Amino acid sequence: MHALIVVAHHDPASLTHSLAAQVAAGLTASGHSYEIADLAGEGFDPRYTLADHQVHRARATPPADVLAEQARIDRADALVLVFPIYWWSLPALLKGWVDRVFVNGWAIDYGPDLPVVKKLRHVQVHLLAVGAADEGAFERHGYAQAMRTQIDYGIFDYCGAQVVTSQLLLESESGTAQAHLQTAKAIGQRVFEDEPVAS
């Protein structure tokens, strides 16, 4: 089996990149292959332009960079997103990737008089979100549920993809990095198991 690991962080020495590497190590240990999509390192442009809007409204052919990202997902049996939490959500780079790549005609089929057809039912999704706040802050303010609502359900369930793992790796600046790295490797080892993981 093959996984696409998408990393959205500008610093290759970040904990986010280290976590992605541990997911990859876990996949390798379990006999699976992977590809890493380093959105910042590869210079992915997250700006949703008129050309992207034409894909949605008029079913125009997506720009070449979008087609390349869709092809990477099409080659994968699982999609792993590793990202820092910015303002209680996805960083702009990753949100722009979703906005541009998960388009009408590929991720869904939708029209004014048609029900939404979910086209990514074959994709398993694993989310690893890195945050500096503690679990109490996330729960006290409802951010954990808000993130699941907007990301797990609002993006991936809307396209039919199954979110198998939705993991908040919190207190990342308070000495928990080693534990998070171990968690990431364990998640990599079980990416292709059917047991949903959420915390």
Side-chain angles (χ1 to χ4, degrees):
M1 305 286 274
H2 181 71
L4 176 64
I5 304 170
V6 180
V7 187
H9 199 290
H10 55 277
D11 182 358
S14 65
L15 177 58
T16 302
H17 278 271
S18 297
L19 291 165
Q22 286 303 305
V23 171
L27 282 159
T28 299
S30 296
H32 301 294
S33 62
Y34 67 88
E35 177 181 359
I36 293 182
D38 176 0
L39 299 183
E42 295 170 6
F44 181 80
D45 186 350
R47 294 173 299 171
Y48 189 88
T49 67
L50 181 58
D52 298 298
H53 189 67
Q54 289 301 105
V55 174
H56 177 72
R57 297 302 259 172
R59 299 293 181 102
T61 300
D65 61 340
V66 170
L67 290 173
E69 296 302 310
Q70 291 172 347
R72 290 210 276 199
I73 297 169
D74 286 340
R75 288 192 299 269
D77 303 295
L79 180 62
V80 182
L81 273 59
V82 187
F83 59 93
I85 299 167
Y86 289 172
W87 291 105
W88 313 104
S89 188
L90 301 171
L93 176 61
L94 185 55
K95 180 60 166 63
W97 183 80
V98 170
D99 290 344
R100 296 191 63 218
V101 174
F102 287 69
V103 296
N104 194 16
W106 181 78
I108 58 169
D109 267 325
Y110 167 78
D113 301 317
L114 301 171
V116 173
V117 176
K118 301 178 179 196
K119 298 184 75 173
L120 296 183
R121 294 187 186 277
H122 61 286
V123 177
Q124 292 184 0
V125 177
H126 302 265
L127 304 169
L128 283 77
V130 184
D134 62 25
E135 187 175 348
F138 274 78
E139 295 304 329
R140 185 167 54 255
H141 299 294
Y143 291 126
Q145 185 56 49
M147 285 182 65
R148 289 200 176 89
T149 299
Q150 66 177 316
I151 300 169
D152 300 27
Y153 304 109
I155 296 171
F156 295 106
D157 184 65
Y158 189 73
C159 301
Q162 179 190 11
V163 176
V164 179
T165 305
S166 185
Q167 186 86 38
L168 297 175
L169 302 172
L170 303 177
E171 298 183 73
S172 62
E173 297 173 356
S174 304
T176 59
Q178 191 57 45
H180 291 339
L181 292 168
Q182 292 170 353
T183 298
K185 185 171 184 179
I187 287 170
Q189 289 174 316
R190 64 177 188 259
V191 158
F192 293 108
E193 294 179 4
D194 293 329
E195 198 78 24
V197 177
S199 68

